[in-house]
Structures are given as structure tokens and as C-alpha cells.
Amino acid sequence: SGNDVMLSKEQENDADVRRVDQERIGRFGRLNARLHEARSEREELKKKMERVEDASTELMMGAGDRVSVRLGDAFFETSEEEATERCENIVEGLQAEVDGLDEEVDGIVAEQEELKVLLYARFGSSINLEESGPPRA
């Protein structure tokens, strides 16, 4: 599960789990869920970029002829130059989205680190805020 925040039974039943602690734990869980979404979105965008870059490479290896380009369900004919330019524009747009997600991921990780410091200071080993499974960059 994306929200791997566990308290021991004593901790759960302890009236000492203050509202601010509950809010921090909830925030950490929501950040963790978004972190996984953002990483997944980033991977999908990178795959799209690779496909567009591959198409651009194919165009560059062409003979300068007119090419058919698919846009949605329709095909239209254009010059290799226009098609290559279109590919470059798409890649730039996708890269901007990837960069935005990279910034978001960095911000989430930084906020999670701050929350870990606060929550581990409060609950020690009775709370687990670490990912189960292999660590991801």
C-alpha cells in the first residue's frame, strides 16, 4: 500500500497521539501516494519522449520526401522538415512536464524528510515511515 505508516497497538490506543501528530501522519501518507503517482507519470512521459525521439530519428534518416504524419486518428502529409520540427516541439513540451514532475518529487521528498524528523522524534521506533521494498530514486 502507498500509505505505509504504521503505529504499534500501544501507540494507537495512547491518548497521547495528538491531533497535530495525526495530521502529520495523514499528510505524510497523502504525500507518499502523490509521490508514487508523480514518479509513475514521469516514467510514462519519458516513454512518450523516447517514442517521439525515435520517430524524429527515423525522419532524419529519410530522403527529404513528404511524409505521412498521424495526428489522432487522421493522417496528413507534410514535409520531413515540418514533421521533425513538430517532433522537437513535442519533446520540448514533454521535457517541461518531466522537469515539473521532478521538481514536485523533490519537494515531496523534502517535506517527507521534515515530517520524518518530527514524527520519529515523537514516536521513535513505534512508527514506520519507510518504504517497504527496494528504495527508489
Side-chain angles (χ1 to χ4, degrees):
S1 74
N3 302 341
D4 293 315
V5 178
M6 307 295 274
L7 291 176
S8 68
K9 281 292 169 215
E10 310 87 75
Q11 225 38 79
E12 280 182 321
N13 298 329
D14 188 347
D16 218 23
V17 178
R18 304 168 305 186
R19 182 172 185 81
V20 67
D21 299 323
Q22 291 172 350
E23 288 169 358
R24 286 173 177 159
I25 291 166
R27 175 75 180 148
F28 187 91
R30 288 188 302 278
L31 285 169
N32 213 41
R34 179 59 194 143
L35 181 63
H36 288 277
E37 286 172 10
R39 285 176 170 161
S40 177
E41 288 171 27
R42 183 177 61 185
E43 291 313 305
E44 284 304 309
L45 289 171
K46 285 182 174 182
K47 286 177 190 169
K48 274 187 192 173
M49 270 175 46
E50 281 178 28
R51 288 194 300 269
V52 175
E53 286 169 340
D54 289 348
S56 187
T57 301
E58 291 280 326
L59 285 166
M60 284 184 228
M61 292 195 281
D65 302 327
R66 297 195 58 77
V67 294
S68 289
V69 177
R70 190 179 90 186
L71 192 59
D73 292 333
F75 284 88
F76 65 94
E77 220 179 72
T78 186
S79 69
E80 277 186 17
E81 189 178 323
E82 285 178 33
T84 301
E85 192 175 306
R86 175 87 178 115
C87 286
E88 288 168 0
N89 291 338
I90 291 170
V91 168
E92 281 178 27
L94 291 170
Q95 185 61 57
E97 288 184 64
V98 168
D99 293 346
L101 285 168
D102 285 342
E103 282 182 34
E104 182 182 0
V105 164
D106 291 346
I108 289 171
V109 170
E111 187 175 345
Q112 282 186 318
E113 289 305 315
E114 291 172 21
L115 288 167
K116 281 182 185 182
V117 168
L118 296 168
L119 290 167
Y120 280 132
R122 178 101 172 97
F123 296 107
S125 62
S126 63
I127 191 169
N128 178 14
L129 303 171
E130 304 309 314
E131 289 286 325
S132 46
R136 297 191 50 193

